[in-house]
Amino acid sequence: MAVFISYSSRDRALVEGLLTALRRARQPAWLDEELTGGEAWWRTILEQIRDCEVFIVALSKNMLESKACQAELRYAQALDKAILPVQIGPLDNMRINPLAHMQVIDYRNPSIESGIELVSTVHAHRSVAKPLPDPLPEEPPIPFAYLMRLASTISAPGWNWRGDSRH
């Protein structure tokens, strides 16, 4: 996969425009839109990060607060992936985020110019993609915050093992 998009689930609607722009430009992009939670979910995410050529960070306050997004970013950095921060939502302070030292594409109000910048930057990063390090860095564990949400979902009234709300 060419592009992995790391985003907070609270920003799903904001990521749609970014994903559409990449796919229209024939840049294969992946995000966890078809996955459900659990260990297999996390394993698949880590696999996709290893397989991508460009790791896009859908930058927002929500993303910076997400333990899963932070773990994904650290893993991509450990793999020496090309990282492209794309701001899709508000930030409290740009200087106190882990990507403050990098050029950020502002995609909060998408335009032709920001779309061209996005696609050309992805293309440039793809052309210089590096092989995976050998040995691979240690995989990060499933984020604890995610496990807590999963536990509360499972213990909620009406939940059953099929993952639906039928009784």
Side-chain angles (χ1 to χ4, degrees), residues 75-108:
Y75 191 55
Q77 289 170 326
L79 292 168
D80 203 21
K81 292 293 180 178
I83 296 173
L84 177 58
V86 178
Q87 186 175 353
I88 61 163
L91 294 170
D92 287 339
N93 186 338
M94 187 61 183
R95 293 184 192 165
I96 58 170
N97 83 67
L99 304 169
H101 65 285
M102 300 180 78
Q103 179 67 36
V104 174
I105 295 175
D106 188 342
Y107 211 74
R108 289 172 292 174

Side-chain angles (χ1 to χ4, degrees), residues 4-22 31 56-64 66 69 84-92 94 97 99 103-111 114-115 118:
F4 178 96
I5 303 173
S6 178
Y7 70 102
S8 166
S9 59
R10 292 183 285 176
D11 292 332
R12 181 69 171 110
L14 298 174
V15 171
E16 282 299 322
L18 178 64
L19 183 61
T20 299
L22 290 166
L31 56 108
I56 289 182
V57 177
L59 198 53
S60 70
K61 183 177 188 253
N62 293 329
M63 177 268 162
L64 292 174
S66 167
C69 289
L84 177 58
V86 178
Q87 186 175 353
I88 61 163
L91 294 170
D92 287 339
M94 187 61 183
N97 83 67
L99 304 169
Q103 179 67 36
V104 174
I105 295 175
D106 188 342
Y107 211 74
R108 289 172 292 174
N109 298 301
S111 64
S114 62
L118 171 68

